[in-house]
Amino acid sequence: MSESSGPAHRPSAVAGPWSVPVLFRERRPRVVVKADLLPAVSVLGTLSLLSFPLAFAWSRLAPPERVRIISADGTQGALELESWHRFDDLAVFGLMTLGLGIVVGVVVWLLRERRGPVVFLAAVLGVALASALAMLLGVGWANSHYAIASPPALGSVIELAPRLESWWVLLTGPLGVTAAYSLLATWNGRDDLGRRLG
């Protein structure tokens, strides 16, 4: 009886498939939330201020659409190829916000002691907010820049202010932040993203 029951009660060197990894598993760093909240709010507020230079730059760089006055009541007639500038306005704004997002992603990554999902999400939301505000401000400033003071004469060519006709362009800024930050985090390869080295 002792021979048959001995192996059943004898403690095994490996009690189960999970025992050895548990004994030697390295403790993974936890996500820091509370300590990163104030820096995240600072990042969000700072990035929202970038909407002003972004809006001003777009209102001056985006090409206007030229049209011809074809009747005395001010009816406008399209000129050949000028309607393409409606896409150009979107493309210029999208490239500007994409570039802003990439730069913000790199700069936020350089905040070594604050690396993590909290500040990353603040950067994504901050660029999205800056892009939305820049879209509203930029269109308003462009309208004032290309305002027509007096009724145009018949046959004259006037410039219409640039416009943004799709809200989908607001995705380019957060996409830039996500791409830059994700690539840097993948390249880093540390569980804590190098926070402890800061």
Side-chain angles (χ1 to χ4, degrees):
M1 179 177 179
S2 61
E3 292 181 359
S4 61
S5 62
H9 298 323
R10 184 183 305 164
S12 175
V14 179
W18 304 105
S19 60
V20 173
V22 168
L23 291 176
F24 298 101
R25 188 186 307 165
E26 184 178 347
R27 186 177 180 183
R28 292 181 179 271
R30 296 182 178 180
V31 175
V32 179
V33 176
K34 188 175 181 180
D36 286 352
L37 283 179
L38 185 58
V41 172
S42 300
V43 168
L44 181 63
T46 302
L47 292 179
S48 64
L49 297 177
L50 295 178
S51 60
F52 294 98
L54 183 64
F56 181 80
W58 176 82
S59 67
R60 297 303 186 265
L61 293 176
E65 179 183 357
R66 298 189 305 162
V67 295
R68 186 182 302 277
I69 304 300
I70 58 176
S71 65
D73 61 355
T75 303
Q76 301 169 357
L79 296 178
E80 187 177 2
L81 303 181
E82 284 294 318
S83 61
W84 289 8
H85 289 318
R86 295 164 61 184
F87 171 77
D88 296 338
D89 299 337
L90 275 174
V92 169
F93 189 83
L95 290 175
M96 291 176 68
T97 54
L98 179 64
L100 174 66
I102 293 173
V103 171
V104 167
V106 173
V107 170
V108 171
W109 173 259
L110 294 178
L111 303 175
R112 182 187 293 272
E113 296 182 0
R114 299 303 177 194
R115 289 177 182 171
V118 177
V119 174
F120 164 69
L121 289 176
V124 171
L125 293 176
V127 170
L129 178 61
S131 301
L133 292 176
M135 188 175 189
L136 298 174
L137 291 172
V139 171
W141 287 346
N143 288 334
S144 63
H145 181 67
Y146 290 96
I148 300 175
S150 58
L154 180 63
S156 63
V157 175
I158 62 173
E159 294 181 338
L160 300 180
R163 47 191 165 171
L164 296 171
E165 299 177 321
S166 174
W167 286 90
W168 288 103
V169 72
L170 296 179
L171 296 178
T172 57
L175 177 64
V177 178
T178 304
Y181 204 92
S182 299
L183 287 174
L184 290 171
T186 304
W187 170 77
N188 179 266
R190 296 178 179 269
D191 289 338
D192 65 343
L193 302 179
R195 287 175 66 112
R196 289 178 295 182
L197 301 178

